[in-house]
Amino acid sequence: MVQYTDIGDVPAAEVERMRAVYEPLAESVRELIDATIRTEVDAETVAAVKAQIDAATARLRARQCDGPFGVRRTANGQSLAWGNPVIGIRNPIAPPLQIRRTEDGRVVTDFEMGAAYEGPPGHVHGGVAALVLDHVLGEVAANGDRPRFTGTITLRFLRPTRLGRLHAEAGITRVDGIKAYATGRLSDADGVSVEAEGVFIAPKWARE
Amino acid sequence: MVQYTDIGDVPAAEVERMRAVYEPLAESVRELIDATIRTEVDAETVAAVKAQIDAATARLRARQCDGPFGVRRTANGQSLAWGNPVIGIRNPIAPPLQIRRTEDGRVVTDFEMGAAYEGPPGHVHGGVAALVLDHVLGEVAANGDRPRFTGTITLRFLRPTRLGRLHAEAGITRVDGIKAYATGRLSDADGVSVEAEGVFIAPKWARE
């Protein structure tokens, strides 16, 4: 059972305050991930850094939520997916994507991917391209604050996607009751590299 | 152009020594990622921990490779995909998957996913399921040390996948020249939740 967390009457200013506390931490951990993959310092330094990190983790764990972050909803309708691995501002795994909705109902996003997302040398892992496109198509297929979850998605890889500045976008092609059909694509500096199409379905609890 | 890095005549014992230096660091950063998402400590503690992490990152960056890790190959045929976001032992984003090949040529893997991989509350992000299955199908489709890259992959989501202990497996259904057809699935404690099928294609430089 997919269960959202109702956090009640939290004012927007308090949400902003929480964001200002925790977002910079995740940004620092993203840098650490990149350094962890690329470092060539000696064994003694690595061991010392590891001890520092374990100490940092222990301090953070002194008070933490049970289980994963979930998706938290305020009484005034804000939805905080801060733990999400694609858009979560508190999840160091996420680039994170900032998704904009255009006037004609499409979604677009520009972002950067480095060492942490590498599959073939110098290129984005095909599964990471799938992760991004699944999310972007799901986002455009959502109906206001009612999610639609992926039913089926197909990805066509035209060529390898280079690491660096990337762009993804998606649009709805058709809505048929509880189903929305969406298409999208991922591009690097040389143009479109991956195309996607999918069917997204409203879960039972989110149907009207 | 996808370019592997030839690191020459590195003995297996030296590879093991490097693994022993860097693998524990990535394990610690994985714990830190989980704590970063779930922590509820106060703003002062978060700021202090962030400063510790920035210092750790600076120490690691004192000597690091230019750009991403790449895929490094030794003269005796070992392939080190240590930066890979699915299987990379040096990439804190990776669970990392340990993939076994069965006697009948299938690949199987058992792993755990927690807060960092959450999409719908308590459940695996659909795109993360796609990331894992793309990798596992690509692995079974590879021809010895010659990779095949994803041409097309289709994922069918039967139901949400619960976070926790997971299992993925894949097999080849047919090989047709440079193309291999593979199918696979992801399971949680309640059975199969996502099915995948894909066509994987040998890049030009990896054809015989």
Side-chain angles (χ1 to χ4, degrees), chain A residues 42-52 54, chain B residues 21 25:
Chain A
D42 61 32
E44 290 67 33
T45 308
V46 171
V49 166
K50 176 181 151 48
Q52 277 185 301
D54 291 342
Chain B
V21 170
L25 175 64

Side-chain angles (χ1 to χ4, degrees), chain A residues 119-182:
Chain A
H123 294 78
V124 178
H125 190 293
V128 169
L131 167 62
V132 166
L133 285 167
D134 172 76
H135 192 93
V136 172
L137 268 67
E139 193 89 33
V140 81
N143 180 12
D145 62 348
R146 295 165 190 271
R148 286 196 176 95
F149 293 150
T150 320
T152 306
I153 188 168
T154 296
L155 300 130
R156 267 179 307 280
F157 294 81
L158 310 179
R159 60 175 174 78
T161 304
R162 283 195 289 149
L163 290 173
R165 291 294 300 168
L166 301 171
H167 172 86
E169 57 177 271
I172 292 185
T173 51
R174 188 159 62 92
V175 175
D176 182 6
I178 59 167
K179 293 184 183 175
Y181 296 79

